[in-house]
Amino acid sequence: QVQLVESGGGLVQPGGSLSLSCAAAGSLFSINVMGWYRQAPGKQRELVALFTSGGSTHYADSVKGRFTISRDNAKKTVYLQMNSLKPEDTAVYYCNALIKNTIVQGIKNYWGQGTQVTVSS
């Protein structure tokens, strides 16, 4: 069984930086898409950034130029470097991945447990 294990997050002042990491733990065949979503109180979960199946990146307009997604394929890990953080970036950040567990199984959608990011002075 695959699990997405997140780390990072915390409290930071406006203008500060934080980094998140998410590792896919367990046996798997391939990772098709992997990235980050966030959900602020009272709002719907929204895409932050991801790697597509083709290896390109996609960012929400609200984080372009401030956040950078990167990955280490050997470690099955994706990272999110967040700079110039704003109070409106405050949310629970969730790692997400579309994973093919074995060569014969279909693709499954996995979520991490979520990590809190709070931007406040």
Side-chain angles (χ1 to χ4, degrees):
Q1 182 70 11
V2 174
Q3 286 186 319
L4 299 181
V5 181
E6 301 167 357
S7 62
L11 173 64
V12 66
Q13 292 186 341
S17 299
L18 281 175
S19 62
L20 306 179
S21 65
C22 172
S27 177
L28 58 88
F29 177 72
S30 66
I31 300 175
N32 286 37
V33 177
M34 196 167 184
W36 295 92
Y37 288 72
R38 67 186 181 186
Q39 187 167 17
K43 295 188 176 181
Q44 289 189 329
R45 192 171 296 188
E46 62 177 4
L47 171 69
V48 177
L50 59 74
F51 279 99
T52 69
S53 57
S56 58
T57 56
H58 178 78
Y59 292 91
D61 288 343
S62 59
V63 307
K64 284 180 180 177
R66 300 188 298 120
F67 291 12
T68 302
I69 190 170
S70 61
R71 65 183 180 181
D72 184 329
N73 290 335
K75 295 182 179 180
K76 297 179 289 184
T77 299
V78 67
Y79 307 92
L80 186 68
Q81 177 63 41
M82 303 181 290
N83 298 328
S84 302
L85 282 160
K86 304 175 181 180
E88 50 263 43
D89 294 317
T90 296
V92 178
Y93 284 68
Y94 296 92
C95 181
N96 175 258
L98 300 179
I99 293 174
K100 194 172 175 67
N101 289 346
T102 70
I103 194 170
V104 297
Q105 287 184 333
I107 295 173
K108 293 184 180 181
N109 190 22
Y110 290 90
W111 290 94
Q113 77 278 8
T115 185
Q116 178 71 45
V117 171
T118 302
V119 185
S120 175
S121 54

